[in-house]
Amino acid sequence: QVQLVESGGGLVQAGGSLKLSCAASGRTFSSYTMGWFRQAPGKEREFVAVITWSAGTTYYADSVKGRFTISRDNAKNTVYLQMNSLKPEDTAVYYCAAMNPFRATVREQTSYNYWGQGTQVTVSS
């Protein structure tokens, strides 16, 4: 069982930065592939980024590539999402999710076993 708690959301102006954190409980955190998703008002939840258990591989949605960076610290049971050059269209509730065992369909919500409660990110124009 893994519990996930996101933090770091808030209100920021366009062009600004935020760093989200997702703290995980459980001694086997390092074995989980971790992902970030987001859901904007009136839209479906969408994939943002993923990082494998060893942090050897990362994937990003095209909409955030070059602006967002996912990372993890297995010693702290935490995964991060550094968001730079934020745009109003990045406004959403951001969720972290954990996957074990690894599934190649990392962009699919159904591949993940555990979810956090979400943190709101609002980007003003």
Side-chain angles (χ1 to χ4, degrees), residues 13-63:
Q13 288 188 332
S17 298
L18 280 176
K19 186 173 185 177
L20 305 183
S21 300
C22 174
S25 64
R27 294 176 293 177
T28 59
F29 171 78
S30 61
S31 64
Y32 282 78
T33 294
M34 299 298 297
W36 284 96
F37 288 74
R38 67 186 182 185
Q39 187 168 19
K43 296 187 177 181
E44 294 187 354
R45 192 176 301 185
E46 65 176 4
F47 168 79
V48 174
V50 65
I51 187 166
T52 56
W53 69 271
S54 64
T57 304
T58 57
Y59 297 104
Y60 297 91
D62 288 342
S63 59

Side-chain angles (χ1 to χ4, degrees), residues 1-19:
Q1 188 79 6
V2 174
Q3 291 185 327
L4 306 173
V5 179
E6 302 96 334
S7 61
L11 174 64
V12 63
Q13 288 188 332
S17 298
L18 280 176
K19 186 173 185 177

Side-chain angles (χ1 to χ4, degrees), residues 4-7 93-96 115-119:
L4 306 173
V5 179
E6 302 96 334
S7 61
V93 177
Y94 283 71
Y95 300 89
C96 71
W115 291 83
Q117 83 290 348
T119 185

Side-chain angles (χ1 to χ4, degrees), residues 74-98:
N74 288 338
K76 295 183 178 180
N77 280 14
T78 302
V79 63
Y80 305 97
L81 186 68
Q82 177 68 49
M83 306 185 294
N84 299 328
S85 302
L86 283 161
K87 304 175 181 180
E89 51 263 44
D90 294 318
T91 295
V93 177
Y94 283 71
Y95 300 89
C96 71

